[in-house]
Amino acid sequence: EVQLVESGGGLVKPGGSLRLSCAASGFTFSSYAMNWVRQAPGKGLEWVSSISDSGTYIHYADSLKGRFTISRDNARNSLYLQMNSLAAEDTGVYYCARDLSGHSYPPFDYWGLGTLVAVSS
Amino acid sequence: DIQMTQSPSSLSASIGDRVTITCRASQSISSYLNWYQQKPGKAPKLLIYAAGSLQSGVPSRFSGSGFGTEFTLTINILQPEDFATYYCHQSYSAPYTFGQGTKLEIK
């Protein structure tokens, strides 16, 4: 069974940093591109970042302005999101999501339950 | 960036109804349009990908169509479990943007 379990969220002050993790199991992690998607309270979904299966290709949402860094460790079956210079507008639930394999321009077929990030003084 | 616009933003319907949600892209995305369902406090669930392909395990009352810039999600014979928020999503070009969502409520 495919499982994605996020961790690392919490309460942080404006300007602070957090590192989110996503532990993957039930599939060959190193064969799949992965993504982070966030959702502010009561708002819609916002794609944050994606990373290819090998980690070679990375994309970010323009709104992040270079503050976030996505990475992965295929040996540990883990995806990460380093978030720096956090602001109130970064508050929300952060989901990791897997690309659907075998398709060009794939959707996200499995999602974790999410981890809550709250940025407040 | 490609902007995705859903309509309506909210929709009231009854059990057994047929509903259609529209998603428009600000530029052509070929058929690389996906639909997700999200219930309160839960992660999104993939329903339809590549405009019209039904994800494994999703009931056949869900269907999608469209190409280029205009797409639709149709739910036939609404069931109680279908009341949720629906999002379109383009996977054609980064940043991979979502629509703002359509909340489907019981009339």
Side-chain angles (χ1 to χ4, degrees):
Chain A
E1 179 192 5
V2 171
Q3 284 200 321
L4 298 170
V5 180
E6 302 93 338
S7 61
L11 177 62
V12 61
K13 288 182 167 51
S17 297
L18 276 178
R19 188 193 195 209
L20 305 184
S21 299
C22 173
S25 60
F27 65 102
T28 305
F29 180 72
S30 59
S31 297
Y32 288 81
M34 298 294 296
N35 306 269
W36 288 100
V37 177
R38 69 182 180 182
Q39 187 168 35
K43 302 297 184 183
L45 301 170
E46 179 186 18
W47 172 81
V48 171
S49 182
S50 67
I51 185 167
S52 62
D53 52 3
S54 64
T56 301
Y57 301 102
I58 287 173
H59 297 284
Y60 295 101
D62 297 340
S63 61
L64 300 180
K65 300 176 185 175
R67 298 180 296 121
F68 290 11
T69 302
I70 193 172
S71 62
R72 64 190 297 159
D73 185 338
N74 286 343
R76 296 178 183 271
N77 292 334
S78 293
L79 175 72
Y80 305 103
L81 186 68
Q82 177 67 43
M83 305 188 296
N84 298 328
S85 302
L86 284 162
E89 53 265 32
D90 297 314
T91 293
V93 175
Y94 284 70
Y95 297 101
C96 69
R98 190 186 81 165
D99 270 11
L100 179 63
S101 176
H103 295 268
S104 301
Y105 311 96
F108 309 153
D109 64 343
Y110 280 93
W111 298 61
L113 296 179
T115 187
L116 178 61
V117 172
V119 184
S120 175
S121 54
Chain B
D1 297 1
I2 299 172
Q3 309 303 316
M4 307 302 293
T5 304
Q6 286 180 235
S7 60
S9 295
S10 64
L11 177 59
S12 294
S14 301
I15 303 295
D17 282 355
R18 177 185 184 187
V19 299
T20 297
I21 299 169
T22 298
C23 180
R24 289 186 174 85
S26 60
Q27 64 189 74
S28 177
I29 57 171
S30 184
S31 61
Y32 302 115
L33 188 283
N34 315 300
W35 292 97
Y36 301 86
Q37 176 194 67
Q38 188 180 34
K39 296 181 179 179
K42 302 293 188 182
K45 173 187 175 183
L46 178 64
L47 299 176
I48 301 284
Y49 64 95
S53 295
L54 194 67
Q55 171 67 347
S56 175
V58 174
S60 59
R61 63 180 180 273
F62 291 91
S63 63
S65 64
F67 185 87
T69 62
E70 188 151 341
F71 303 86
T72 58
L73 171 70
T74 298
I75 313 172
N76 285 301
I77 313 176
L78 271 174
Q79 299 299 301
E81 61 267 29
D82 299 337
F83 292 93
T85 301
Y86 293 84
Y87 294 94
C88 64
H89 162 238
Q90 65 85 12
S91 51
Y92 177 68
S93 172
Y96 303 116
T97 39
F98 289 86
Q100 81 278 17
T102 295
K103 187 174 184 178
L104 177 56
E105 299 175 304
I106 300 175
K107 186 183 287 184

